[in-house]
Amino acid sequence: MVLEQERAATQLPNRADERPHEILEVRGLKVHFPIVRGLFRRTVGYVRAVDGITFDLESGETLALVGESGSGKTTVGRAILGAIRPTDGTIFITTRARDRIDAGRANGESLKTLRREVQFIFQDPYGSLNPRMTVFDIVADPLRVNGLARGNGLRDRVEEMLRLVGLSPELMRRYPHAFSGGQRQRIAIARALVMGPTLVVADEPASALDVSVQAQILNLLQDLRAKLAVSYLFISHDLSVVQYISQRIAVMYVGQIVEMAPTKSVFSAPRHPYTQALISSVPTPDPALRSRGQPMPGEVADPANPPVGCHLNPRCRYAQDLCRKEPPALRELAPGHFVRCHFAEELDLTGVPT
Ligand SMILES: Nc1ncnc2c1ncn2[C@@H]1O[C@H](COP(=O)(O)OP(=O)(O)O)[C@@H](O)[C@H]1O
Ligand SMILES: [Mg+2]
């Protein structure tokens, strides 16, 4: 029995032939942080970091969550991991064994399952690895903690995982300080994927690295998605980073999704002024395209005190009276293309050829 378990654990999941199904269903997710003041710690307001978000993610898919810093992306990721409780709404994860877990209310056994099925890759490859553990122990740890492998089975599995992320197993007795930023991120990826998770939340996984190394890490993640049949929620403040790695993009602004569509449509036919502004800051070699729009002026709105009406209205050059009064709803303008703008049909926005 133990032997069988060990053998199973040393085999990396190979379920690429599996039929696609929903693995993540987020419905009306809100995460509000109380602002407390004074001696009696009275709640004087709320930071509405995530304010009513709904989306799905299919098995094998990469959905990018994009928006300026402070828009609530990391908070969405932490709620999916079960690390923060939602103020409202639900998050359901469907595991490989087809169990449905409510990540917002997981505890005991279901929290343990959630920790196996959903993994996280952080931005900072220096802070996220324990400096006192060898590479072997870092990657082996999740398997040991969950009792999934030991002895030779454990060693084989760690070596296989290291090879998959492009690291030589000969280096596995070394400590993280011996490695470059890019290599450390490979170690972090090996640890995140070693248990064959259903979903990986990758929070700016390449942003802290040199530009030349960024592409290697993105290519590696892309490659492993197909090999290990894993899905990614890929968080980035930079649209150009997600252009080639994601099938769909959800653009966030002050805790809400303002546009969500297949990646091609987001780039070639954006329907929200905020998306267009993000696209215009993507570098392009073609001078004819450089004039195609302007970055948004001003600062991201304060999620503790967002503007009345459309949250973007003080920064939006298309804003009209209605935008300063009524919050726009997220509407499906074309199949699978959602936009939160009163005037989406009337605006003549330009994208970039894809
Ligand atoms: N634990 C917390 N307590 C209070 N406010 C928080 C907390 N975590 C995040 N915030 C606030 O929530 C908003 C969204 O933050 P975050 O999710 O980190 O955005 P992003 O990842 O898009 O930069 C920010 O205004 C941030 O200051
Ligand atoms: Mg963040």
Side-chain angles (χ1 to χ4, degrees):
M1 180 63 203
V2 168
L3 254 178
E4 238 167 64
Q5 251 185 11
E6 276 191 12
R7 205 175 305 131
T10 56
Q11 267 154 22
L12 289 162
N14 179 19
R15 301 177 182 92
D17 49 344
E18 215 177 51
R19 280 242 228 74
H21 59 282
E22 301 300 342
I23 55 149
L24 173 64
E25 297 154 81
V26 177
R27 294 287 173 275
L29 177 66
K30 293 187 182 178
V31 181
H32 294 180
F33 297 107
I35 304 168
V36 290
R37 290 274 152 75
L39 192 56
F40 301 104
R41 303 196 59 72
R42 259 189 335 122
T43 299
V44 295
Y46 291 91
V47 178
R48 297 194 287 201
V50 178
D51 209 18
I53 279 196
T54 295
F55 65 87
D56 286 339
L57 182 61
E58 255 188 13
S59 57
E61 189 187 24
T62 300
L63 172 70
L65 210 51
V66 174
E68 287 164 289
S69 174
S71 54
K73 307 179 298 293
T74 296
T75 305
V76 171
R78 292 181 61 212
I80 291 167
L81 287 172
I84 343 175
R85 295 280 174 193
T87 308
D88 198 7
T90 56
I91 304 163
F92 279 98
I93 310 274
T94 301
T95 67
R96 296 216 190 250
R98 302 298 162 98
D99 291 322
R100 237 167 140 254
I101 301 178
D102 184 347
R105 286 166 192 79
N107 52 37
E109 225 20 66
S110 60
L111 191 61
K112 254 175 90 178
T113 309
L114 189 69
R115 297 252 180 279
R116 275 203 307 270
E117 296 279 341
V118 185
Q119 295 290 324
F120 211 73
I121 300 169
F122 294 95
Q123 173 173 359
D124 174 19
Y126 293 90
S128 65
L129 301 176
N130 186 334
R132 279 177 289 279
M133 282 166 86
T134 64
V135 171
F136 177 82
D137 286 329
I138 288 170
V139 178
D141 194 48
L143 294 170
R144 280 194 186 122
V145 168
N146 287 281
L148 289 176
R150 56 194 170 87
N152 290 344
L154 180 68
R155 203 202 53 226
D156 290 350
R157 180 67 192 268
V158 171
E159 288 187 357
E160 187 181 4
M161 202 62 232
L162 289 174
R163 271 187 221 105
L164 267 176
V165 300
L167 288 172
S168 165
E170 283 163 28
L171 305 175
M172 71 187 184
R173 299 293 164 193
R174 299 200 184 174
Y175 292 85
H177 67 80
F179 296 89
S180 68
Q183 288 173 320
R184 287 184 204 209
Q185 208 56 318
R186 288 175 194 268
I187 298 166
I189 291 168
R191 183 185 53 186
L193 293 176
V194 73
M195 285 198 298
T198 304
L199 173 66
V200 170
V201 178
D203 194 352
E204 311 257 11
S207 304
L209 305 172
D210 290 346
V211 177
S212 59
V213 183
Q214 279 184 16
Q216 295 170 11
I217 294 297
L218 296 178
N219 286 338
L220 174 66
L221 286 169
Q222 183 85 308
D223 185 42
L224 293 173
R225 177 171 67 90
K227 275 194 187 139
L228 304 180
V230 66
S231 306
Y232 296 128
L233 181 67
F234 192 100
I235 294 175
S236 177
H237 67 279
D238 184 349
L239 256 184
S240 63
V241 164
V242 304
Q243 183 168 10
Y244 301 105
I245 199 168
S246 65
Q247 282 80 55
R248 282 189 304 139
I249 295 177
V251 178
M252 276 187 77
Y253 188 71
V254 194
Q256 296 180 325
I257 290 177
V258 296
E259 182 159 11
M260 178 161 64
T263 301
K264 259 183 170 323
S265 314
V266 166
F267 279 90
S268 63
R271 305 298 294 270
H272 197 287
Y274 185 65
T275 310
Q276 188 188 37
L278 292 181
I279 290 175
S280 71
S281 45
V282 171
T284 167
D286 184 347
L289 293 172
R290 278 190 208 130
S291 58
R292 70 193 181 278
Q294 293 150 15
M296 279 269 148
E299 302 271 297
V300 180
D302 177 4
N305 190 18
V308 176
C310 174
H311 293 345
L312 193 67
N313 85 70
R315 302 177 72 189
C316 180
R317 62 184 151 136
Y318 305 102
Q320 305 184 29
D321 275 351
L322 181 64
C323 310
R324 290 180 270 271
K325 289 181 193 137
E326 288 285 324
L330 192 66
R331 296 178 293 135
E332 191 168 11
L333 289 195
H337 197 144
F338 299 85
V339 186
R340 191 187 292 277
C341 173
H342 289 303
F343 298 102
E345 287 89 342
E346 293 160 40
L347 301 179
D348 184 23
L349 305 178
T350 47
V352 285
T354 50

